[in-house]
Amino acid sequence: MIGFIIRRLIAMLLTLVAVSIVAFAIIQLPPGDYLTSYIAQLASTGDQVDPRVIENLRRQYGLGEPFYVQYWKWITGIVQGDFGHSFEWKRPVWELIWGRLGNSVLVEGMAVVVMWLIALPIGIYAAVRKYSLGDYLATVAGFIGLAIPNFFFALILMYLAYIWFGTTMGGLFSPEFENARWSLPRIWDFLSHAWAPILVLATAGTAELIRILRANLLDELKKPYVVTARAKGLPEWKVILKYPVRLALNPLVSTIGWLLPALVSGSVIVSVVLNLPTAGPMLLRSLTTQDMYLAGAIILLLSVLTVVGTVISDILLALIDPRIRYGGK
Amino acid sequence: MRIDRMGGLTGAVALAALMVGAAPALAQQQSPVLDAMVESGELPAVGERLPSNPLVVEGDSVGKYGGTWRMGLNGGGDNGLIVKTVAYEGLVRYDHEWKTVLPNLAESWEASDDATEYTFTLRDGVKWSDGTPYTTEDIAFTVEMYQDPDYAANSWIDNQNNPMTLTVIDDLNFKFTFEKPNGMFLETLASTDGIHITSLQKAYCSQFHPTYNENADADATSAGFDGWALYLQDRCAWGWETIRFSNADLPTIYGWVIETPLSANAQRVTWTRNPYFWKTDAEGNQLPYIDNLDMRVSQGGVEELTLAALNGEIDFQERHIATNVSKPLFFDGQEAGGYHLGEVIPSASNTLVLQLNLNHLDPVKNELFNSKDFRVGISHAIDRQEIIDVVFTGQGEPFQVAPRPESQFYDEELAKQYTEFDPDLAAQHFEAAGLTERNGDGIYLLSDGTPAKITVDVISALRPEWIDMLEIMQLQLEAFGIDLELNNIDRTLFYEKRPAGEFDAQIWAGDGGIEALQEPRYYFPFSDESVWAYRWAQWFNGTRPEIAEEPADWAKEQMDLYNQVRAEADPEKRADLFNQVLAITKEQFPVIGVSLMPNSYSIVRNNLKNVPDTMFNAWLFPTPAPMDPVVWYFE
C-alpha cells in the first residue's frame, strides 16, 4: 500500500508539471495580452494610447518575451512560493486569491456535504423501494434540480426572497461581519447568507448521485451474498448498509477528484449572480482582462485540487472496496 | 415641509418659533461629525481649513449634513463609477447644461489669442485631504511625472503630437505652453481628461521617485516591486486608473476620501467626508452635505444591484442598473422602493453604428465598401421602425450617426438622410455600386464572383441588444441579397483585429452625439475608434506609421479643417469650421446608423434632495459628478 501511495505521488507531481505547462499555454493562447485589453479599456474612455507608452509597459511587464521564458519565470517563482503579480491589481497573486479560495472551499465543500446528505438516503430509499411512489417523487425532484440551470435557480431564490421577505440576498456576510474575526454570530451570519448558494449548488448534483447510487445498489441487492445475509437473519438495515451500499459507493468515491474543480467552475455564474466573493468570479474576470498570472494561479490550484482529489479517491477506494488490490501479481 | 400644511396664524407662529430654533443650525459651517475633532484640536477650525475664496456651489435648497449615499460597483475594476461620483475635480469644470466651462480649483485663467498659452490662477488656500496646501508645486510635480518616460501615464500632459511645457510663475500662478495651437484645451480640462493634472501630491508621491529619494529603487524592491516606476504607479496611480482608489494613504482633493479602499477582494468601498474640502454652499457651510459613501461591490453581475435598487438600498445610481430591460421593473417598483426615476440623456447619438471597413485589405471588398452607393443601399434596406418596435419597445426614432437634437451641431438632414425603408431605392443603389448578378440563394455576387457576405464583429457582452438588432438586420438584408454574418467576440480580440485590417465591419454605439466636437470619431477618421477608417486615422495621428494609409481627399480635407478647429480659440469660428467637417460627412456618408439612442434614467431615492431632474451622461461629462453631488443631501 505504501509503495502504491509513493508511486501515486510521483505520478501526481509529473501530472502537475504537465498541467501547469498546458494551463499557462492556454492562458497565452487568446490573441493579445493584458496590455491589449488595458488599451481597449483606455480607448473606450476616449484616450489615445501612444505606442511608445505601450512598448514601455510591455517591457516593464515582460510581456514581449517568448512563451518558454515567461513560463520558466512563472514556474520557478511558484516553486519558491511566488505566484507572480496581478497586472490589474498590481498586487502579489497569492495575496489576492487565498481568501477567495478559502471562501470557495468553504461554500463548495458545504455544498458537497449537503449534496451527499440529500442524495445518499434518497438513493438508498429509491433502490430499496424501487418503483414506489417515493422512488418516483425522489426521481422527479432530483431531475428538476438537475434541469434548472444554477444561475436561474439563484435568480428565482433572490427574487422570492425580495418578494416575500423584502431582503436583497447576496454576498456571504452582512456588512458588519465582512471583515470581522470568526465568532458564533459571524458563523450564524455566514450560514444565513450561504444557505442559498449551497442549496443551489447542491441540487444540481443530487439527481446524478441518486441515479448512480440507485443503479449500483439495484445491481448489488440481487446478489447471493445479500440473500445469504438476509437468510442468516441480519436486520434489514444492516444487510443493506453494511455491504451493498458500501460497494455501491464505489463510483461516487472514485470521482471525488473531479468534484471540487467541477464545483468551482460550475459555481462561477452562481457566484456572479449571488455576488459571492469566491474564486470563480475572480477567475472569470482575470481571463477576460488577460491578467495572466492571476488566472494561471487559479487554474493551477484547481488542477492541484483535481490531482490531489484523485489520489485521495484512489486510496479511499482501496479502503472501502476489498475487491480492489494494487500491484498484486 | 410640515409648515406648508399648517395655515393662518398658527402657521406663522410655528414658523417664527422654528426659525428661532433653527438659527444655531444655520450658523453651522461644518458637519457635526467634525465638531469633536475640532474641539480636541485634531483638526483646525473650519475657517482655517477653507480657502479664502471657497468655490460656492448652489443647490436648489440649503441642505443639512449627514447620511450615507449607497450605490453599487459592478465588479472589482469599476473605477468608472468612482471617477463619475468622486474624482471629477479638475482645474475647471462644466456647468450642468454641459455648455460653459466654470472655475474649479483654478479661480481664473487667460488664453493667448493663438491658443498656445494658457495661464491659470489657483484658488488661494485650497488644501489636500491631509491638510497641506495645494500649490503650483504639485502641478509641476505632476507634469514632471507624466513626462517621465518610465512612468508611462498617458494623457494630454505627455502627448507627443502636441508637446506641452509648464512655466510656474509663483505659488498660485502657472502657464501651460503648447507647441501647436490647442483651441479646445479648456474643454479637455473640463472633461474627465482634466483630472490628470490634479491627481498627484508632490509631498506624498515624490518619496517613490529616484529624483527625490535616492533609495526609491531599494524601497520598491523591498515592497515587492520590480522597480520604482511600478511602485510609484501602485502608490500614486494617475487620473482614474483603477488602483488609484486602492491606496487610502494617497492625499486627494475630492469631497470624500477613501476609508475602505478598492481591491480585488473588497466587498465594499467606503468613503468619508474630506474635512479640508474647499467648496461651500451659498451660506458658507462647508460641503459636501453627505458624510459617507458606501459602494457595494458586486462580482460582475447586476442582478443583485437591481434588486437592491428595487429594495430602496441604492440612493442614487444610473450606471449599470439603468438597462432597457429593467425599466418597467423599476417603474413599477417606485412606490415600494421609495425612489423615483430621473431622466438621463445619453451623449451617444445612435443605438448601433455599422462601420464597414473602408480600409479593407481585400481589394474587392475595399472597393465595395468605399462605394457610397453600397452604403446608401444598405441604409435603405434596413427597416428601422421594425427594429425600434421590437428591440426598444418603440423608443427612439430612425437616425443616422449624427449630433443629437440636444447638440448645437444638430442637422436634421444629416440625421435623417437615407433612413427611410425603401426596397426600390436600395436595389437601385446596389446596382449603381456594381451589384447586379445574384447566386442561387439570391445573394449578390461581387466582382470576383464570391457572394456578398459581410462579417460583422460585435461584443454582445457590452450591449445585449446589439445581437437582437443585428439578427433582425440580418433577415432584412438577406432579402435584398446581402449576407450578414454575426461574429460575436471578446473585446480584446475585437481590438486586436483592427490594426490587421482584415475585418469587414464592427459594431459600436454612436459616441459623439453631444460632444461631437471632442469626439468626432464617426464624422472623420479621428482616432483608433474610427474603426471604419482605421488606417486613415493612423495617418492623421501619426501613431502607427507602419500601417498608416493616405486618406481619400475628402477625409484629408476634413482633417485639415479639424486641425483648424483645434487651433481656433474662438468658439464661434470653431463651430463654423466643424460644421464644414460635418457637411463633408453628410456628403460622404461613411457609417450607417439605426436609431436615436433613447433616454436613460436614474434611480433617485425620494429623500435625496438637490438632485437635478435631468442630466446628460457621457464619459467626458462624467455624470453625476458635474451635477454637484456635494450639494445633494438627505432630508
Side-chain angles (χ1 to χ4, degrees), chain B residues 215-377:
Chain B
N215 298 323
D217 251 323
D219 289 352
T221 316
S222 63
F225 291 88
D226 283 340
W228 65 264
L230 288 176
Y231 192 33
L232 178 66
Q233 260 179 47
D234 176 67
R235 298 284 80 193
C236 283
W238 45 265
W240 54 78
E241 179 77 329
T242 309
I243 53 162
R244 175 165 177 82
F245 308 109
S246 50
N247 178 10
D249 297 333
L250 183 70
T252 64
I253 41 148
Y254 312 147
W256 294 274
V257 292
I258 308 174
E259 191 179 40
T260 317
L262 177 67
S263 73
N265 288 321
Q267 283 159 61
R268 54 191 61 228
V269 177
T270 60
W271 304 71
T272 97
R273 60 181 313 114
N274 171 5
Y276 290 96
F277 195 54
W278 37 278
K279 297 184 185 177
T280 67
D281 67 8
E283 295 184 357
N285 299 309
Q286 189 189 27
L287 295 173
Y289 290 131
I290 295 176
D291 282 329
N292 300 297
L293 307 182
D294 179 355
M295 305 169 173
R296 61 205 277 138
V297 182
S298 86
Q299 300 297 325
V302 294
E303 294 79 11
E304 196 213 10
L305 292 181
T306 305
L307 282 178
L310 281 171
N311 215 13
E313 293 169 32
I314 299 271
D315 294 302
F316 174 92
Q317 189 153 352
E318 163 278 325
R319 197 176 160 89
H320 309 310
I321 55 176
T323 59
N324 261 326
V325 182
S326 302
K327 193 169 183 182
L329 192 65
F330 281 125
F331 187 81
D332 291 343
Q334 290 183 91
E335 202 174 329
Y339 62 85
H340 58 273
L341 303 186
E343 191 182 30
V344 175
I345 302 171
S347 63
S349 68
N350 219 289
T351 49
L352 181 147
V353 183
L354 177 62
Q355 304 186 67
L356 295 170
N357 182 3
L358 303 194
N359 299 157
H360 207 297
L361 291 189
D362 171 17
V364 175
K365 283 198 167 158
N366 189 310
E367 196 194 331
L368 181 72
F369 295 162
N370 272 293
S371 150
K372 182 186 170 190
D373 275 308
F374 180 66
R375 299 193 296 270
V376 173

Side-chain angles (χ1 to χ4, degrees), chain B residues 515-565:
Chain B
E515 74 288 39
L517 198 59
Q518 290 106 300
E519 183 47 273
R521 59 167 78 158
Y522 298 122
Y523 307 128
F524 80 96
F526 166 69
S527 70
D528 278 11
E529 298 299 304
S530 306
V531 181
W532 54 279
Y534 192 84
R535 289 168 181 241
W536 292 352
Q538 306 307 322
W539 190 85
F540 177 59
N541 290 320
T543 35
R544 289 177 184 78
E546 67 281 8
I547 58 162
E549 218 172 75
E550 192 175 340
D553 289 340
W554 56 269
K556 272 204 222 154
E557 196 184 334
Q558 287 181 310
M559 292 171 180
D560 238 24
L561 285 164
Y562 195 74
N563 279 333
Q564 293 175 48
V565 168

Side-chain angles (χ1 to χ4, degrees), chain B residues 7-313:
Chain B
L9 193 63
T10 26
V13 172
L15 183 68
L18 208 101
M19 298 266 295
V20 172
L26 286 178
Q28 174 101 50
Q29 288 198 13
Q30 65 176 6
S31 167
V33 296
L34 299 176
D35 287 348
M37 288 167 83
V38 172
E39 269 162 42
S40 71
E42 207 178 317
L43 211 59
V46 64
E48 290 165 47
R49 302 200 306 269
L50 284 171
S52 54
N53 174 22
L55 180 68
V56 176
V57 184
E58 289 189 43
D60 290 339
S61 52
V62 170
K64 58 182 190 189
Y65 289 113
T68 300
W69 171 1
R70 299 160 301 168
M71 60 197 112
L73 299 175
N74 183 16
D78 190 12
N79 49 336
L81 186 130
I82 296 178
V83 171
K84 287 173 141 238
T85 312
V86 186
Y88 177 66
E89 296 294 354
L91 292 172
V92 295
R93 61 187 293 110
Y94 275 122
D95 67 341
H96 290 194
E97 272 76 49
W98 199 358
K99 288 202 170 114
T100 329
V101 174
L102 303 174
N104 203 46
L105 271 172
E107 203 171 46
S108 62
W109 58 85
E110 244 173 76
S112 68
D113 288 340
D114 63 349
T116 56
E117 283 188 8
Y118 290 84
T119 314
F120 290 87
T121 304
L122 291 176
R123 204 170 287 282
D124 190 9
V126 173
K127 294 185 177 62
W128 289 96
S129 53
D130 63 354
T132 55
Y134 184 93
T135 68
T136 47
E137 258 194 49
D138 298 306
I139 305 264
F141 176 75
T142 308
V143 171
E144 187 191 335
M145 289 299 106
Y146 271 66
Q147 294 182 347
D148 187 326
D150 285 325
Y151 179 66
N154 187 70
S155 77
W156 54 270
I157 303 174
D158 53 329
N159 181 3
Q160 306 285 336
N161 289 326
N162 190 1
M164 182 272 284
T165 46
L166 170 83
T167 320
V168 172
I169 299 161
D170 56 35
D171 269 2
L172 296 179
N173 293 288
F174 62 95
K175 185 167 75 179
F176 293 128
T177 312
F178 292 92
E179 208 173 277
K180 292 182 242 169
N182 192 352
M184 290 190 293
F185 181 51
L186 280 170
E187 278 80 5
T188 305
L189 275 188
S191 75
T192 328
D193 291 327
I195 66 179
H196 281 293
I197 193 69
T198 56
S199 48
L200 304 179
Q201 187 205 39
K202 184 180 183 182
Y204 177 80
C205 296
S206 59
Q207 61 175 307
F208 305 104
H209 195 278
T211 310
Y212 301 91
N213 172 9
E214 53 187 22
N215 298 323
D217 251 323
D219 289 352
T221 316
S222 63
F225 291 88
D226 283 340
W228 65 264
L230 288 176
Y231 192 33
L232 178 66
Q233 260 179 47
D234 176 67
R235 298 284 80 193
C236 283
W238 45 265
W240 54 78
E241 179 77 329
T242 309
I243 53 162
R244 175 165 177 82
F245 308 109
S246 50
N247 178 10
D249 297 333
L250 183 70
T252 64
I253 41 148
Y254 312 147
W256 294 274
V257 292
I258 308 174
E259 191 179 40
T260 317
L262 177 67
S263 73
N265 288 321
Q267 283 159 61
R268 54 191 61 228
V269 177
T270 60
W271 304 71
T272 97
R273 60 181 313 114
N274 171 5
Y276 290 96
F277 195 54
W278 37 278
K279 297 184 185 177
T280 67
D281 67 8
E283 295 184 357
N285 299 309
Q286 189 189 27
L287 295 173
Y289 290 131
I290 295 176
D291 282 329
N292 300 297
L293 307 182
D294 179 355
M295 305 169 173
R296 61 205 277 138
V297 182
S298 86
Q299 300 297 325
V302 294
E303 294 79 11
E304 196 213 10
L305 292 181
T306 305
L307 282 178
L310 281 171
N311 215 13
E313 293 169 32

Side-chain angles (χ1 to χ4, degrees), chain A residues 68-267:
Chain A
Y68 60 90
V69 176
Q70 293 192 37
Y71 172 75
W72 184 249
K73 271 190 185 169
W74 182 63
I75 201 71
T76 45
I78 287 178
V79 173
Q80 297 157 24
D82 173 13
F83 281 75
H85 261 68
S86 154
F87 294 139
E88 187 171 19
W89 296 100
K90 316 263 192 300
R91 289 259 173 279
V93 164
W94 185 241
E95 185 186 315
L96 296 179
I97 56 176
W98 87 275
R100 294 256 177 171
L101 278 178
N103 285 343
S104 278
V105 170
L106 195 64
V107 173
E108 280 132 19
M110 285 175 84
V112 173
V113 172
V114 170
M115 186 164 91
W116 285 43
L117 283 181
I118 300 174
L120 291 187
I122 295 181
I124 296 170
Y125 176 86
V128 176
R129 299 265 184 275
K130 188 169 63 155
Y131 303 137
S132 67
L133 183 66
D135 178 20
Y136 284 123
L137 282 180
T139 307
V140 169
F143 274 96
I144 289 176
L146 185 70
I148 300 179
N150 282 353
F151 80 92
F152 189 59
F153 190 21
L155 276 179
I156 293 175
L157 274 184
M158 283 173 90
Y159 186 67
L160 291 181
Y162 163 67
I163 293 286
W164 289 344
F165 308 114
T167 57
T168 311
M169 216 160 62
L172 287 177
F173 297 102
S174 309
E176 61 271 27
F177 285 109
E178 253 158 32
N179 300 314
R181 291 171 149 270
W182 280 106
S183 61
L184 273 181
R186 190 169 192 245
I187 291 173
W188 175 246
D189 185 66
F190 169 76
L191 288 178
S192 68
H193 281 84
W195 66 268
I198 289 173
L199 186 66
V200 170
L201 293 175
T203 49
T206 32
E208 201 181 341
L209 271 184
I210 291 174
R211 296 313 282 179
I212 295 175
L213 190 66
R214 180 177 177 276
N216 279 306
L217 202 51
L218 281 178
D219 285 349
E220 295 296 325
L221 284 177
K222 292 191 203 102
K223 291 198 172 157
Y225 73 91
V226 181
V227 180
T228 313
R230 204 173 274 142
K232 288 203 167 184
L234 266 154
E236 184 66 17
W237 62 270
K238 207 167 181 178
V239 171
I240 292 169
L241 287 188
K242 191 150 185 192
Y243 303 105
V245 167
R246 194 168 140 189
L247 294 180
L249 281 176
N250 180 321
L252 302 186
V253 174
S254 55
T255 53
I256 284 180
W258 308 341
L259 213 58
L260 269 176
L263 271 172
V264 172
S265 53
S267 73

Side-chain angles (χ1 to χ4, degrees), chain A residues 35-45, chain B residues 491-492 495 529:
Chain A
L35 284 176
T36 325
S37 100
Y38 176 72
I39 292 157
Q41 276 175 25
L42 286 184
S44 68
T45 61
Chain B
R491 192 161 183 166
T492 322
Y495 280 82
E529 298 299 304

